[in-house]
Amino acid sequence: MSYKIARASEYLAITGGGIKDIKLAKSSWVLPWQSCTVFDVSPVNYTFEVQAMSSEKLPFVIPAVFTIGPRVDDPHALLLYAMLMSQHDKHSNHVNELVQGVIEGETRVLVASMTMEEVFKGTKEFKKEVFEKVQLELNQFGLVIYNANVKQLVDVPGHEYFSYLGQKTQMEAANQAKIDVAEAKMKGEVGAKERTGLTIQNAAKIDAESKIISTQRKGEGTKEEIKVKSEVQVFQNEKEALVAKADAALAIQKAALTKSSRVAEVEAAKAVAMREAELQTQVEKMNALTRTEKLKAEFLSKATVEYETKVQEANWELYNKQKKAEAVLYEKQKQAEATKAAADAAFYAKQREAEGIVAMANAQGTYIKTLLGAVNNDYSAMRDFLMINNGVYQDIAKTNAIAIKDLQPKISVWNQGGADQGMSGGGMKDIAGLYKMLPPVLDTVYEQTGMQPPAWIGTLRGAEPSR
């Protein structure tokens, strides 16, 4: 018996007698019939480069670092870790492949449902979803993710999407800065021109007013000088002429200032338009390059999907044809077996029928041979017996009677008798006439049956005596 004490980052897993399942402790007595295992619960950093593919079938690499360790704040999770993982070293290939398989599997499934734009712009949400899904799978091993860091996404050689996307963003920012500078410069130049024009206009106005006052004072002096002559009308005409001249000079100055201002505005507008056209041309070029790359990616993805779809359809069609052919072959085999069974049954029935006929023929032959032996091989006697026994004579008599009946003969017999003949002589004559009718009847029987009359009646004319 010994007393075990675990370090700060370790736990004791004790099993054996007196313990129902597993006992976890930081320190405990270990009895001789008990086993004690010390396992470390400090977290470990796992670095991976997950090969993933977006929903547009574009591959890329996700470098990630996960800090994973046992969940020490949950007794049930710690018990799971002790049962499933404590026997393996935390840095072993087994644990590393387990964690890597869970992270790569869940990351690939998540990325397959997102576009490249969503993965690139939503890094924070992407990291959160990966963290949640991987943690859900690690719970069954008693592990917890202490920290997860998804680094900058990296392009796969031959699919430089992120580099092009970064270049696009940089060019857009540079173009926007150039546009802002051009707008600020345009506003400064226009404001300067406006200030210059206002200054010139105010100066001209002051000059004109100064000239008018000077002219008025000169007119008053002239009026005082010619006051003696009392030519008020002349003074007024001169005054009007001076005022008209001042107005004309002011109008000329205003027209010149307006012309200069408009020319400056037109030149500034043209310069701004030319600069905007140059910037717009650069922007269109970059947009064209971006659309070209996007179309390339879309068409490549579409072609890949169509190819995979066609392959699946071809495989499915081939599988259906094979199954149909197997079904037809099975039906043909069943039909052939049924036909063979029917033929065997018919052959057996015919065979049994033939055997019955042969047996009947053998029985009849034995019967005839027995009859011949009984009548001392007298064929006529045997034939007469058979015809009498089978009612042939009765059938012949019945058939002849029916035939005569159907003819409905009318027979009239007149017997006038005579004085010299007695009653007995007349009766015998009738009997003799009846007896004369027998030969034709016997001839008919012989023609129909080939049988001769018995010897006590006599023989037919022209017939050989029966043997």
Side-chain angles (χ1 to χ4, degrees):
M1 184 173 61
S2 61
Y3 189 76
K4 298 287 185 179
I5 300 175
R7 297 179 181 178
S9 63
E10 295 177 343
Y11 268 87
L12 301 178
I14 306 173
T15 59
I19 298 175
K20 184 177 180 181
D21 192 1
I22 297 177
K23 177 183 176 182
L24 299 179
K26 298 292 287 185
S27 62
S28 174
W29 287 98
V30 180
L31 303 178
W33 53 85
Q34 294 177 345
S35 175
C36 178
T37 302
V38 181
F39 63 93
D40 192 0
V41 295
S42 58
V44 178
N45 290 330
Y46 297 94
T47 303
F48 307 106
E49 288 188 355
V50 182
Q51 299 282 340
M53 183 176 292
S54 67
S55 60
E56 300 100 343
K57 305 298 182 183
L58 296 175
F60 60 95
V61 178
I62 305 176
V65 178
F66 284 78
T67 303
I68 300 175
R71 186 187 292 274
V72 295
D73 58 346
D74 187 351
H76 178 70
L78 191 60
L79 184 63
L80 282 177
Y81 179 81
M83 290 179 7
L84 301 176
M85 307 294 294
S86 62
Q87 69 271 22
H88 300 285
D89 184 63
K90 293 185 296 183
H91 300 280
S92 64
N93 291 333
H94 176 78
V95 178
N96 189 48
E97 290 176 358
L98 173 65
V99 176
Q100 183 177 2
V102 171
I103 294 174
E104 288 185 351
E106 294 300 326
T107 304
R108 287 196 182 102
V109 171
L110 178 61
V111 171
S113 63
M114 302 174 65
T115 62
M116 293 293 282
E117 192 73 16
E118 293 173 347
V119 175
F120 186 74
K121 291 185 177 180
T123 306
K124 185 176 180 180
E125 291 75 9
F126 174 72
K127 175 183 174 181
K128 181 180 178 182
E129 292 190 21
V130 171
F131 184 91
E132 292 176 352
K133 292 184 178 296
V134 173
Q135 181 60 61
L136 186 63
E137 292 295 325
L138 293 179
N139 286 337
Q140 57 186 335
F141 300 103
L143 296 172
V144 62
I145 301 175
Y146 287 94
N147 183 36
N149 184 18
V150 178
K151 299 181 181 180
Q152 182 65 36
L153 304 179
V154 180
D155 288 316
V156 175
H159 300 274
E160 291 77 10
Y161 178 82
F162 292 115
S163 60
Y164 289 143
L165 193 60
Q167 292 177 11
K168 174 188 174 183
T169 304
Q170 293 176 3
M171 292 302 297
E172 289 178 351
N175 291 334
Q176 185 62 40
K178 291 179 181 179
I179 292 172
D180 294 340
V181 171
E183 289 181 353
K185 187 176 181 181
M186 178 190 68
K187 290 179 180 179
E189 292 178 354
V190 171
K193 294 292 183 182
E194 288 179 352
R195 293 296 181 183
T196 303
L198 291 175
T199 302
I200 295 172
Q201 290 177 7
N202 292 330
K205 182 178 180 182
I206 293 171
D207 290 339
E209 291 177 353
S210 299
K211 289 181 181 181
I212 292 172
I213 294 173
S214 177
T215 303
Q216 289 177 352
R217 288 180 179 179
K218 287 180 180 180
E220 290 177 357
T222 305
K223 180 179 178 182
E224 292 294 333
E225 290 177 358
I226 61 175
K227 188 175 182 181
V228 178
K229 299 179 180 179
S230 299
E231 296 179 355
V232 178
Q233 186 66 37
V234 174
F235 173 75
Q236 291 178 349
N237 291 337
E238 290 179 356
K239 182 181 178 181
E240 292 176 358
L242 292 173
V243 172
K245 185 178 180 180
D247 291 338
L250 181 60
I252 291 171
Q253 290 294 329
K254 287 183 178 180
L257 291 174
T258 302
K259 179 180 178 181
S260 300
S261 178
R262 289 181 179 178
V263 169
E265 290 176 358
V266 172
E267 289 178 352
K270 287 183 177 181
V272 172
M274 291 176 65
R275 186 56 181 169
E276 288 180 351
E278 292 177 359
L279 295 175
Q280 186 64 30
T281 302
Q282 295 179 0
V283 171
E284 292 297 331
K285 287 182 179 179
M286 295 306 301
N287 290 336
L289 291 175
T290 303
R291 286 194 296 270
T292 301
E293 293 300 326
K294 185 176 181 181
L295 289 175
K296 285 182 180 179
E298 291 179 355
F299 282 121
L300 178 60
S301 301
K302 184 177 181 181
T304 304
V305 172
E306 289 181 354
Y307 169 76
E308 294 177 356
T309 303
K310 295 295 183 182
V311 169
Q312 292 295 331
E313 290 178 353
N315 293 334
W316 179 249
E317 186 176 358
L318 176 60
Y319 175 78
N320 288 335
K321 289 183 178 179
Q322 290 177 350
K323 289 299 181 182
K324 290 181 180 178
E326 291 176 0
V328 172
L329 177 60
Y330 179 76
E331 291 296 329
K332 294 294 183 181
Q333 290 178 349
K334 288 296 183 181
Q335 291 178 1
E337 292 176 358
T339 304
K340 182 180 178 182
D344 293 342
F347 174 74
Y348 180 76
K350 293 293 183 181
Q351 186 177 11
R352 299 300 297 174
E353 183 179 357
E355 291 176 356
I357 293 173
V358 171
M360 185 180 293
N362 291 332
Q364 290 179 350
T366 303
Y367 175 65
I368 293 172
K369 184 183 291 185
T370 303
L371 287 177
L372 282 174
V375 296
N376 296 323
N377 294 328
D378 188 349
Y379 173 75
S380 298
M382 183 191 69
R383 182 188 60 191
D384 293 342
F385 172 76
L386 291 173
M387 293 187 69
I388 292 171
N389 188 44
N390 294 327
V392 175
Y393 289 117
Q394 291 87 337
D395 293 338
I396 293 174
K398 185 183 293 184
T399 302
N400 290 331
I402 292 173
I404 295 173
K405 180 180 179 181
D406 292 337
L407 293 175
Q408 297 181 357
K410 295 181 180 181
I411 302 174
S412 300
V413 179
W414 290 274
N415 186 9
Q416 296 179 357
D420 53 351
Q421 298 178 348
M423 293 298 292
S424 60
M428 291 302 294
K429 186 176 180 180
D430 293 336
I431 292 173
L434 179 61
Y435 186 75
K436 290 179 180 179
M437 294 173 59
L438 288 175
V441 173
L442 295 175
D443 288 337
T444 301
V445 172
Y446 178 75
E447 291 176 358
Q448 293 179 357
T449 64
M451 294 181 58
Q452 294 184 3
W456 54 271
I457 295 178
T459 59
L460 299 178
R461 295 188 300 268
E464 295 181 358
S466 60
R467 288 182 270 177

